[in-house]
Amino acid sequence: MMCEGETELCLFKHIKRLFPCSIDVKNAHGRGALSVVREAVSCSGYTNRYVLIDADENTLEEALFLADQHQIQVILLESCSEAVFLQILGEPVPINSKSANLKKQLKKIVGKEPYLPLYRKAEFNKSSLITSNELVIKKLIKLCEKHTNSNRTT
């Protein structure tokens, strides 16, 4: 699984910790959807390849085309990962919020950088993920369940 940036990486690592699977996870360091897919294309030696990217990217169409050409499966975050974190925590997410504003909102809740401290919060546990209405969370859990004892995957 090639993740777009630190937040997506932490989200998937946390899900993987709760739903153990054989999927390797890597960080494309937040350079946009097309760069994430290009990073995944360059990864060899994997049976399956996945990317986790934001749907609001301006290079999304080109990224989807490239992923299709290389049989890379795309998992889209309909809203940014910060919005997903907030929704799992039961916090309001204003419509059309910018990622930077949502990071500030998360920082107020957890008192530090948004990604890692969320894992210590009781609300962000296995049952909250299972009951989450977030489609991307359901897809990631299903992906982990699919790859519990399979070939090496990124």
Side-chain angles (χ1 to χ4, degrees), residues 25 63 76 92 114 129 135 154:
V25 60
L76 288 175
L129 291 175
L135 184 58
T154 189

Side-chain angles (χ1 to χ4, degrees), residues 1 6-7 19 32-33 38 53 59-60 64 70-71 74 79-80 83 88-89 91 99 103 105-106 123-124:
M1 170 78 67
E6 188 69 27
T7 311
F19 301 89
R38 285 181 179 149
I53 55 178
T59 61
L60 184 60
L64 293 174
H70 292 275
Q71 295 82 43
V74 176
S79 51
C80 66
I88 290 169
L89 293 169
E91 295 293 325
S99 176
K103 282 183 183 181
Q105 187 177 344
L106 275 170
E123 300 93 344
F124 201 58

Side-chain angles (χ1 to χ4, degrees), residues 45-81:
Y46 291 96
T47 307
N48 301 293
R49 291 179 289 178
Y50 301 91
V51 292
L52 179 59
I53 55 178
D54 292 340
D56 63 352
E57 282 286 328
N58 58 0
T59 61
L60 184 60
E61 190 174 317
E62 193 176 350
L64 293 174
F65 180 76
L66 183 61
D68 185 55
Q69 284 183 315
H70 292 275
Q71 295 82 43
I72 296 170
Q73 296 177 49
V74 176
I75 299 173
L76 288 175
L77 286 157
E78 293 300 324
S79 51
C80 66
S81 53

Side-chain angles (χ1 to χ4, degrees), residues 1 4-5 7 15 18 22 28 37 42 51 53 67 74 78 84 88-89 93 100 107 112 119 128 133 142:
M1 170 78 67
E4 188 167 340
T7 311
I15 290 172
L18 296 173
S22 61
V37 174
S42 70
V51 292
I53 55 178
V74 176
E78 293 300 324
V84 172
I88 290 169
L89 293 169
V93 178
K107 192 171 184 176
K112 296 179 183 176
Y119 307 140
S128 67
N133 290 328
K142 190 173 184 175

Side-chain angles (χ1 to χ4, degrees), residues 1-3 9 12-13 15-17 19-26 46-52 73 75 139-154:
M1 170 78 67
M2 185 66 67
C3 297
L9 177 78
F12 188 69
K13 280 185 171 182
I15 290 172
K16 186 177 169 180
R17 207 169 309 142
F19 301 89
C21 63
S22 61
I23 299 174
D24 291 339
V25 60
K26 298 177 186 245
Y46 291 96
T47 307
N48 301 293
R49 291 179 289 178
Y50 301 91
V51 292
L52 179 59
Q73 296 177 49
I75 299 173
K139 286 181 182 178
L140 292 171
I141 291 170
K142 190 173 184 175
L143 183 64
C144 284
E145 290 170 343
K146 178 181 173 185
H147 292 284
T148 53
N149 290 314
S150 64
N151 294 330
R152 198 167 143 238
T153 300
T154 189

